[in-house]
Amino acid sequence: MKKIGLLVLIVTLAAGFFYFDLNQLLTLQGLKSGLVEFEAWRRDSPILVGGAFLLLYVIVTALSLPGAVIMTLAAGALFGLLWGTLIVSFASSIGATLAFLVSRYLLQDMVQSRFGDRLKAFNEGIARDGAFYLFTLRLVPIFPFFLINLLMGLTAIRALTFYWVSQVGMFAGTLVYVNAGTQLGQLERLSGILSPSLLLSFVLLGVFPLIAKKIVDLVKARRVYAGFTKPKSFDRNLIVIGAGAGGLVSAYIAATVKAKVTLIEAHKMGGDCLNYGCVPSKALIKSAKVAHQMRHAENYGLNSSEPTFSFKKVMQRIHDVIAKIEPHDSVERYSKMGVDVVQGYAKLIDPWTVEIQLNEGGTRRLTARSIVLATGARPFVPDLPGLDEVGYVTSDTLWETFAKLDEPPKRLVVLGGGPIGCELAQSFARLGSVVTQVERSSRIMRREDEEVSKLAQESLVQDGVIMLTSHRAVRCEKEGESKRLIVEHDGQESTIEFDALICAVGREARLDGYGLENLGIETKGTIVTNDYLETLYPNIFAAGDVAGPYQFTHVAAHQAWYAAVNALFGTFKKFRVDYRVIPWTTFVDPEVARVGLSEQDAKEKGIAYEMVRYELDDLDRAIADSAAKGFVKVLTVPGKDKILGVTIVGEHAGDLLAEFVLAMKHGLGLNKVLGTIHTYPTWAEANKYAAGEWKRAHAPQRILNWLEKYHAWRRG
Ligand SMILES: Cc1cc2nc3c(=O)[nH]c(=O)nc-3n(C[C@H](O)[C@H](O)[C@H](O)COP(=O)(O)OP(=O)(O)OC[C@H]3O[C@@H](n4cnc5c(N)ncnc54)[C@H](O)[C@@H]3O)c2cc1C
């Protein structure tokens, strides 16, 4: 209501301005013809006229009315160079700031909520360099004054910053125009004020800060290298540390473009994903799912039976799966590609030198023009009293430790309700363990919408997981062979007896032991990088879990492209890493897959959205598979065919998501998904039906009403 009031006031004042023909007065001719009269007023009462002039100037600029240039000339003609400049300098900055505040008050929320996701990078740029951009714009008076005020109001720049940067930045331009005003009699046209050479000077003045900034950046970049002696020549173009997804892809790209590259891995080629993460966990999930299906075979018209199996064989299968995939990431494969693979522990000596503690013994030093750090992350182990005494496994140790067991642990505690904890809890419950999952917050998989957490929790509980949300692990105790976890809930402690404990409370980037500290490379939970994935040293890059902010294999591979390309070709062209469309899946059953915004995200960020849902209990294939559970939920820009985010819960959700990932990446909307033929009967049809729901919600009702009348008329 207040906004409407303000809008009405502005429109009324603007209408009055034109109604009383003030716009005629604020022309060069109008000014010239009225000048004698104005001067007489000024002579009679200089302070009053000066004050009134300042006020009028503020009103004209605050309302973004045309005439500021003429008023600036008038200031010169009436008050002379010194006072004219002083009055205009303050009046224009105050007026500009008022226009800025009006624009911010009326429009900023709307613009940010509508385009907030796309404006993210822009907002970050403004937060970082907004004052600088504004200064550059203000220096060059060819950029429309009122437009800068209104557009800046939509950004996140602080009002005070806007004010003083405007005042300083506009000073030179003000001086030129006020000076021109002191010779108003000789001035025939406005365009005459800015001669081509003066205009060029202004442009140069505007470009100067940009050039200065580049030079400052360059000097800053050089300064970090002070104290180091850069080698005259390098052994390699690129050294990559860590052979997980991030490192492998970096090395692969470098070898493909014929760079000389060394890839250093201290432990196993393939890193966490192949050896301790995605691959073994998905192999385990498959065995657990088969056991689950046997137990519920009556769903398919068969006799249900309690699965009997050798746990050793289940674990052996997991290691067989790893062994089958291993050749994809092997030393042999990468050596054939032209990558020099070295097995050993790497340490940064200086920005170009890496020392390797070779696994076979001895050390070796190599230099490279650029280095990619892809050293990954490791399980975070909380400082829980008694934990070491009772013993625990993490994703790093589980696969070896449990491979020695004849049976799954009878009573298993899973600490942590994130994706890894949930996948493992459900799998072991399905394989027969009595699993208690402990999560400190009020729900599991907190990153997803509440209804998603609820569905996932229901599934896990149905599979027998004892779910303790809002429970904090307090300590572990051991008495003889008996192991206990003490948890606290609502101020009350309770005890869980267990045989094995999986610690899955998150993963922390590997940041120590390989020279980051010595080189002063900044870390904040992960290695701090800029948009190009450069660390403090522009020739040292980071990719994957160690760089964050995501911890997925596909993101590590995605970042690796940017790290490797910027490392090798950054002198010519650098690419900003693009995080706009990042998908992920949690492989609980039913799977939870997401790309882009969830409802929770949209609300937190204040982004306006429309939502459509398609329930999988309606999908023919889901019914045929007796798996009619879950939904496809799509968020779109209100009134537009633009996808903001998709969450799918259901069987094959991770695979189904791919169509939406493609659509979002390439700017395709739901009309395009709907217009694409999907094979019947497939799970992928769910995507088409979700798009259909959206179409129905946006049906042109008025046209349809007319069509109804038309058809009635045709029937006679
Ligand atoms: C149980 C589990 C399940 C997961 N499931 C999935 C999933 O389904 N999908 C998904 O996308 N992601 C999943 N992840 C995450 C995924 O494994 C990681 O995001 C991915 O491995 C990150 O790759 P990276 O290259 O950054 O690091 P890593 O794979 O950790 O590789 C880093 C490598 O660097 C080596 N290294 C470290 N320091 C040095 C040094 N100084 N010198 C030499 N070598 C060094 C390490 O030995 C390691 O091999 C899962 C993770 C876990 C633990």
Side-chain angles (χ1 to χ4, degrees), residues 29-354:
Q29 295 323 317
L31 173 62
K32 278 185 175 181
S33 55
L35 195 62
V36 178
E37 210 173 332
F38 297 146
E39 272 184 336
W41 290 349
R42 203 247 320 141
R43 265 195 307 274
D44 286 349
S45 28
I47 297 180
L48 189 71
V49 171
F53 185 89
L54 188 139
L55 191 69
L56 190 67
Y57 199 115
V58 169
I59 293 172
V60 166
T61 46
L63 293 175
S64 301
L65 295 171
V69 172
I70 298 299
M71 288 199 72
T72 311
L73 293 173
L78 285 173
F79 307 105
L81 186 62
L82 177 70
W83 280 104
T85 306
L86 216 63
I87 291 174
V88 172
S89 182
F90 279 97
S92 60
S93 307
I94 296 169
T97 308
L98 288 175
F100 162 93
L101 289 173
V102 167
S103 156
R104 170 162 292 180
Y105 180 63
L106 290 180
L107 302 171
Q108 192 197 32
D109 284 355
M110 194 257 289
V111 170
Q112 291 291 347
S113 72
R114 237 186 138 102
F115 306 107
D117 60 326
R118 275 176 285 161
L119 289 179
K120 194 168 168 267
F122 179 72
N123 284 338
E124 283 166 7
I126 287 288
R128 204 173 46 237
D129 293 323
F132 178 77
Y133 294 145
L134 176 64
F135 185 63
T136 310
L137 289 172
R138 287 301 198 203
L139 272 178
V140 189
I142 49 176
F143 298 118
F145 169 76
F146 78 97
L147 209 61
I148 298 175
N149 303 337
L150 299 184
L151 289 179
M152 276 298 188
L154 306 180
T155 71
I157 193 169
R158 287 176 55 215
L160 194 64
T161 310
F162 178 84
Y163 173 79
W164 74 257
V165 172
S166 296
Q167 178 124 27
V168 176
M170 290 191 298
F171 188 78
T174 303
L175 201 64
V176 169
Y177 276 90
V178 173
N179 187 45
T182 59
Q183 287 129 46
L184 194 66
Q186 291 133 43
L187 198 68
E188 290 306 322
R189 288 167 291 115
L190 283 180
S191 57
I193 301 170
L194 288 183
S195 65
S197 58
L198 191 60
L199 205 59
L200 182 69
S201 317
F202 272 121
V203 171
L204 288 179
L205 208 60
V207 173
F208 173 73
L210 294 174
I211 298 171
K213 184 168 186 289
K214 275 269 168 250
I215 295 170
V216 169
D217 286 351
L218 220 71
V219 172
K220 256 199 216 159
R222 286 190 167 264
R223 215 174 33 209
V224 297
Y225 294 109
F228 298 108
T229 315
K230 188 174 178 179
K232 293 229 160 16
S233 64
F234 301 95
D235 303 321
R236 303 285 182 265
N237 298 97
L238 186 67
I239 291 176
V240 179
I241 304 181
L248 287 168
V249 175
S250 300
Y252 178 100
I253 290 166
T256 308
V257 296
K258 303 296 174 199
K260 201 164 183 192
V261 53
T262 289
L263 173 65
I264 307 165
E265 171 54 57
H267 301 294
K268 295 185 179 176
M269 293 291 286
D272 284 10
C273 181
L274 172 63
N275 300 292
Y276 318 110
C278 337
V279 172
S281 61
K282 268 78 253 179
L284 174 76
I285 285 169
K286 182 69 193 180
S287 298
K289 185 163 187 172
V290 173
H292 173 78
Q293 285 174 336
M294 288 172 71
R295 207 172 280 125
H296 298 282
E298 78 276 3
N299 288 344
Y300 313 100
L302 310 176
N303 292 338
S304 296
S305 61
E306 190 53 33
T308 53
F309 61 95
S310 149
F311 185 62
K312 269 218 155 61
K313 279 193 188 156
V314 170
M315 294 308 287
Q316 184 52 50
R317 176 180 165 274
I318 292 171
H319 288 281
D320 292 347
V321 168
I322 295 173
K324 276 223 174 75
I325 297 177
E326 237 163 24
H328 299 173
D329 300 347
S330 65
V331 176
E332 294 70 31
R333 176 162 182 246
Y334 276 77
S335 303
K336 265 194 204 140
M337 280 178 198
V339 177
D340 166 42
V341 183
V342 178
Q343 299 204 278
Y345 190 78
K347 195 169 173 181
L348 295 167
I349 301 299
D350 65 37
W352 308 275
T353 313
V354 172

Side-chain angles (χ1 to χ4, degrees), residues 475-521:
R475 64 184 178 278
C476 291
E477 292 172 352
K478 192 169 182 196
E479 217 178 272
E481 285 308 293
S482 159
K483 300 170 182 177
R484 289 190 291 265
L485 171 71
I486 317 300
V487 292
E488 183 261 331
H489 170 69
D490 271 350
Q492 295 250 308
E493 287 193 354
S494 53
T495 301
I496 309 158
E497 299 230 356
F498 64 86
D499 301 302
L501 184 146
I502 299 176
C503 186
V505 292
R507 294 169 55 71
E508 56 180 2
R510 283 196 193 94
L511 301 173
D512 45 9
Y514 57 98
L516 298 183
E517 315 86 347
N518 304 345
L519 292 192
I521 293 179

Side-chain angles (χ1 to χ4, degrees), residues 432-675:
S433 296
V434 175
V435 178
T436 307
Q437 192 173 3
V438 180
E439 166 57 47
R440 192 166 46 176
S441 62
S442 59
R443 60 190 176 97
I444 57 170
M445 290 169 57
R446 256 182 319 145
R447 216 166 147 182
E448 308 300 337
D449 283 343
E450 208 160 330
E451 60 172 340
V452 175
S453 298
K454 200 163 158 259
L455 242 168
Q457 176 159 338
E458 272 167 24
S459 295
L460 266 66
V461 169
Q462 261 171 28
D463 284 331
V465 175
I466 302 161
M467 186 64 71
L468 301 182
T469 49
S470 304
H471 278 68
R472 186 172 63 89
V474 180
R475 64 184 178 278
C476 291
E477 292 172 352
K478 192 169 182 196
E479 217 178 272
E481 285 308 293
S482 159
K483 300 170 182 177
R484 289 190 291 265
L485 171 71
I486 317 300
V487 292
E488 183 261 331
H489 170 69
D490 271 350
Q492 295 250 308
E493 287 193 354
S494 53
T495 301
I496 309 158
E497 299 230 356
F498 64 86
D499 301 302
L501 184 146
I502 299 176
C503 186
V505 292
R507 294 169 55 71
E508 56 180 2
R510 283 196 193 94
L511 301 173
D512 45 9
Y514 57 98
L516 298 183
E517 315 86 347
N518 304 345
L519 292 192
I521 293 179
E522 195 188 347
T523 59
K524 278 187 192 153
T526 52
I527 294 178
V528 174
T529 59
N530 62 12
D531 292 348
Y532 306 105
L533 296 178
E534 291 168 350
T535 63
L536 173 70
Y537 299 88
N539 74 314
I540 303 182
F541 297 76
D545 284 5
V546 79
Y550 299 92
Q551 290 186 330
F552 301 113
T553 295
H554 45 278
V555 178
H558 177 69
Q559 289 176 321
W561 185 90
Y562 291 91
V565 170
N566 288 340
L568 294 169
F569 302 109
T571 324
F572 309 108
K573 165 95 185 129
K574 287 198 277 191
F575 295 88
R576 280 198 165 84
V577 63
D578 178 0
Y579 293 126
R580 277 174 302 174
V581 184
I582 302 286
W584 63 81
T585 300
T586 302
F587 295 88
V588 286
D589 184 11
E591 291 175 3
V592 174
R594 172 134 82 88
V595 58
L597 286 183
S598 64
E599 284 197 85
Q600 176 174 287
D601 284 348
K603 281 175 191 149
E604 273 169 19
K605 293 178 185 162
I607 296 172
Y609 66 92
E610 284 176 359
M611 191 271 282
V612 287
R613 267 174 86 103
Y614 174 72
E615 301 293 336
L616 289 177
D617 61 6
D618 181 65
L619 184 72
D620 292 0
R621 183 54 190 264
I623 296 166
D625 285 0
S626 292
K629 188 171 167 186
F631 56 82
V632 178
K633 177 158 84 169
V634 186
L635 268 55
T636 50
V637 174
K640 285 202 176 149
D641 185 9
K642 181 160 174 52
I643 305 170
L644 288 172
V646 180
T647 301
I648 307 179
V649 180
E651 202 136 307
H652 308 295
D655 295 318
L656 293 188
L657 192 73
E659 186 171 11
F660 289 115
V661 178
L662 184 82
M664 285 182 72
K665 177 79 191 173
H666 298 287
L668 305 177
L670 291 172
N671 272 317
K672 290 276 189 280
V673 175
L674 187 62

